[in-house]
Amino acid sequence: MRLRALLDTDALGLQLLSGEDELDRSVRGVMTTDLRDPSRYLSGGELVLTGLAWRRSAADSEPFVRILAGAGVAGLAAGEAELGAVPDDLIEACLQHRLPLFAVDEIVAFATITEHVVRQVSGERAGDLAAVVDRHRRLMTSGPAGGGPEVVLDLLTSDLDLRAWVLSPTGRRIAGAGEPLSGPVGAALAAQHLAATRTGRRGPHRAEVGGTTYSLFPIRNSGRGSVPGPSRDVRESVLSDWLLAVEADASDWPTARLDLLQGVTQLIAVERDRRDAARTVRRRLAQEVLELVQTGAAPAEIAARLRVAAPVLLPGLGTAPHWQVVVARVEWAGEGTDSGPDLPGGQIAQALLEEILVDPVVAGPDSADRIAVAHTGDEAIALVPLPAVSPPAEPASGSAGAGGPDAPEGTPERQDNALHADALLATVREPLSAGLADDGRLTLGVSAAVHSAEGLRGALEEARHARRVAAARPGRVCAAGHHELASHVLLLPFVPDDVRRAFTARLLDPLRDYDRRHRAELIETLEAFLDCDGSWTRCAARLHLHVNTLRYRVGRIEQLTGRDLSRLEDKLDFFLALRMS
């Protein structure tokens, strides 16, 4: 289709601001973006839609237009919904670079233009399917009252008898029609989708879970580029794109029906862009606080910024929240070498951390409104507010009590709402491991909760140290919490493998050999004895042994190893050997 056809379509309400002589350009696709430099996601011929969030001053317009013109886009359409009339500096830049520029009236949604272009470029569909798409468009573009993706999926069910769900890369249900999809099924579908995408296969992907067949359609984040190109590594996109799971086998579908579902994914991508845009303010607040903390700003300056952030991250909160810091890092094998090109690790970690923290199972039902994740270099840093727990009523004597307002940080009263490292990964480990495949790793560190600006710098360092502990562990997806920094587990991962093997072999191999020959269960007895703090009575009861039998076994352990289990030093050596084995 030609640009001129868009201008002649009254329903789109486009106003031409520049480029009258360029209206015969062909349009081969559409892309919505507010990136300052979207060049890596452009392949030429697109109509670019933008809300102008990238423009902070008049000087930003010419570089942005120059990038679009260099990429060979067909035209630019700027929305008036957020900032009002299109600025003169953008019009002048488009005239300079001969780029057609349209103004999009505030009453026209980008989804309306997107759907129109997709439908025209894809060709005419069968009458009944075209009618369904048109109904989708009307409902999606009517704003929040239209119901968003939920209504689109309801129409798929009512008009085409297709049950479908929109899932995040971790399998979290974003929208769905009919009966909910269980968490384990969603995670399994996401894992199969990510694994198939990492192989380079084009969607839709066929998947089976629990005897049911599904077809998985990728939903490309149009703000990051609708079609992966040579400059967009699949590892960058696979961990952030949504997917549409349809309970059906699409392998034998006619082209018209496949085209319809592809059109639906593009409509849902508009909703994805809207949700991403809603996080812009929170990301900016997190970035500002992070910069203040890392540059050693005065606590009063950081506290002032936190007072601004608190109402945004916790609307309606009447008291100052506590804060936790979560640090995430994504690393790829061979990165920085000829065999492994550098990827924007900080941005990838940011997308993953936002996804993990938005999970209501992990962070509560309102977590979507509390996401504040910045990225710097190759790591992402989340500033997570926790509602302050009200202290219990004061006792009659008037003292504050153990849980009063002066209770130290880290007490149970201060940790009721805190994030825990293990919980963060409980529901996402399977799908993310599939997406990271054999060459990627995700590691997270979680700080303790702090209640003041003075504590944020320490919390950031604490989270970074915890992440290093997680990085020393095996596995594709690992996390560690602040509590592990004050334990032996902080030291064990950093002990060289040869030292670990020699230490454990010297203490435990004699016991293992004896157990193999006599089935004496000395290793099990040793573990239980240490776990019971050396109590003969409790240990015997746990093992269902007579105390004299337990004494005989412990004596045999001491005889075989030359150690004395009544000595603290020997108990500690056995304890560490068992943990490292």
Side-chain angles (χ1 to χ4, degrees):
M1 66 176 297
R2 306 285 181 180
L3 281 176
R4 190 179 306 279
L6 293 175
L7 194 61
D8 293 339
T9 304
D10 293 337
L12 301 183
L14 297 178
Q15 178 187 357
L16 182 64
L17 301 180
S18 73
E20 184 175 359
D21 297 332
E22 305 291 333
L23 292 180
D24 287 328
R25 293 187 182 188
S26 296
V27 179
R28 296 197 294 270
V30 62
M31 172 187 174
T32 302
T33 185
D34 276 311
L35 296 174
R36 297 169 70 88
D37 180 7
S39 58
R40 69 167 66 188
Y41 310 122
L42 297 169
S43 57
E46 297 93 348
L47 173 66
V48 175
L49 308 176
T50 181
L52 300 179
W54 50 266
R55 182 185 178 275
R56 299 180 182 176
S57 69
D60 294 333
S61 292
E62 194 281 330
F64 180 76
V65 173
R66 177 168 14 99
I67 289 170
L68 297 187
V73 304
L76 174 64
E80 297 180 333
E82 294 293 331
L83 302 179
V86 177
D88 292 339
D89 49 89
L90 181 58
I91 298 174
E92 292 173 2
C94 288
L95 286 170
Q96 176 185 345
H97 292 280
R98 302 180 62 83
L99 181 66
L101 173 63
F102 302 90
V104 182
D105 192 280
E106 62 181 355
I107 65 173
V108 179
F110 280 176
T112 302
I113 302 172
T114 299
E115 194 277 334
H116 179 82
V117 173
V118 170
R119 183 168 53 183
Q120 294 299 318
V121 171
S122 300
E124 294 298 328
R125 296 184 174 89
D128 59 335
L129 297 183
V132 173
V133 172
D134 188 57
R135 290 176 64 189
H136 290 175
R137 178 193 63 77
R138 292 199 306 270
L139 289 165
M140 279 288 287
T141 58
S142 60
E150 297 282 358
V151 175
V152 177
L153 301 182
D154 283 339
L155 286 173
L156 284 179
T157 301
S158 61
D159 288 41
L160 300 178
D161 196 26
L162 293 175
R163 297 178 61 205
W165 301 265
V166 178
L167 304 177
S168 75
T170 63
R172 177 176 58 88
R173 178 187 177 277
I174 296 167
E179 296 180 5
L181 200 65
S182 70
V185 172
L189 289 175
Q192 293 189 45
H193 170 73
L194 294 176
T197 304
R198 282 301 307 269
T199 66
R201 292 174 14 222
R202 295 177 62 88
H205 305 124
R206 187 178 185 276
E208 287 192 11
V209 177
T212 302
T213 300
Y214 300 86
S215 294
L216 310 177
F217 295 79
I219 300 174
R220 304 298 183 195
N221 185 352
S222 58
R224 295 176 179 265
S226 57
V227 180
S231 62
R232 192 189 186 206
D233 195 298
V234 67
R235 294 175 296 179
E236 182 183 351
S237 62
V238 69
L239 294 171
S240 60
D241 289 339
W242 287 357
L243 67 136
L244 177 66
V246 180
E247 190 179 302
D249 188 349
S251 58
D252 58 352
W253 280 6
T255 302
R257 178 166 286 204
L258 286 172
D259 286 346
L260 171 67
L261 267 294
Q262 296 292 357
V264 168
T265 64
Q266 293 198 33
L267 289 175
I268 296 174
V270 175
E271 172 68 11
R272 169 68 185 273
D273 292 341
R274 185 189 67 79
R275 296 192 185 191
D276 279 351
R279 292 179 178 174
T280 301
V281 173
R282 293 191 290 272
R283 286 174 174 172
R284 188 175 302 164
L285 285 171
Q287 197 75 41
E288 291 173 357
V289 173
L290 173 62
E291 290 174 0
L292 290 174
V293 170
Q294 293 198 128
T295 56
E301 186 177 359
I302 300 174
R305 177 51 52 187
L306 288 177
R307 283 193 294 272
V308 174
V312 175
L313 302 179
L314 283 179
L317 186 66
T319 57
H322 295 184
W323 303 91
Q324 265 184 293
V325 175
V326 182
V327 173
R329 184 168 180 172
V330 173
E331 298 173 294
W332 303 97
E335 193 167 35
T337 67
D338 292 340
S339 61
D342 290 336
L343 293 174
Q347 294 181 22
I348 299 174
Q350 181 185 46
L352 286 180
L353 193 50
E354 286 178 336
E355 170 57 32
I356 292 170
L357 293 177
V358 83
D359 189 339
V361 175
V362 172
D366 299 323
S367 58
D369 295 327
R370 297 192 286 150
I371 300 303
V373 184
H375 69 83
T376 174
D378 56 1
E379 69 179 4
I381 301 171
L383 184 66
V384 182
L386 306 172
V389 179
S390 300
E394 294 185 2
S397 63
S399 62
D406 296 324
E409 297 175 20
T411 61
E413 291 78 6
R414 299 303 196 192
Q415 297 293 330
D416 286 354
N417 298 288
L419 300 177
H420 299 282
D422 293 339
L424 287 178
L425 300 182
T427 61
V428 303
R429 193 183 302 275
E430 178 188 359
L432 291 186
S433 295
L436 292 163
D438 295 329
D439 58 351
R441 290 198 75 206
L442 170 66
T443 51
L444 290 86
V446 183
S447 78
V450 297
H451 70 275
S452 64
E454 291 87 344
L456 273 183
R457 188 183 184 105
L460 176 58
E461 291 304 314
E462 190 173 59
R464 282 174 167 161
H465 284 306
R467 193 207 63 79
R468 294 189 189 101
V469 172
R473 295 171 174 166
R476 290 290 163 198
V477 182
C478 300
H482 61 92
H483 61 283
E484 299 181 57
L485 300 181
S487 169
H488 65 280
V489 296
L490 173 64
L491 303 177
L492 296 185
F494 300 99
V495 178
D497 288 343
D498 56 341
V499 175
R500 293 160 67 102
R501 286 192 295 268
F503 182 74
T504 57
R506 185 167 61 252
L507 282 174
L508 302 183
D509 279 2
L511 307 183
R512 293 192 180 107
D513 292 341
Y514 191 88
D515 282 346
R516 277 194 296 269
R517 294 196 307 268
H518 303 283
R519 298 181 181 180
E521 299 180 348
L522 295 185
I523 292 289
E524 180 184 350
T525 301
L526 176 61
E527 289 177 326
F529 186 73
L530 294 175
D531 196 42
C532 292
D533 298 323
S535 169
W536 298 98
T537 304
R538 283 193 289 126
C539 183
R542 174 181 293 191
L543 296 175
H544 306 290
L545 299 175
H546 191 278
V547 172
N548 289 340
T549 303
L550 175 62
R551 291 185 182 277
Y552 172 80
R553 288 188 182 181
V554 170
R556 179 63 66 183
I557 291 171
E558 293 175 335
Q559 181 184 22
L560 291 171
T561 60
R563 299 300 183 105
D564 183 354
L565 279 170
S566 66
R567 298 178 66 248
L568 176 61
E569 295 87 344
D570 289 342
K571 287 181 181 178
L572 180 59
D573 282 350
F574 278 122
F575 175 81
L576 294 175
L578 289 168
R579 290 298 182 273
M580 289 191 293
S581 62

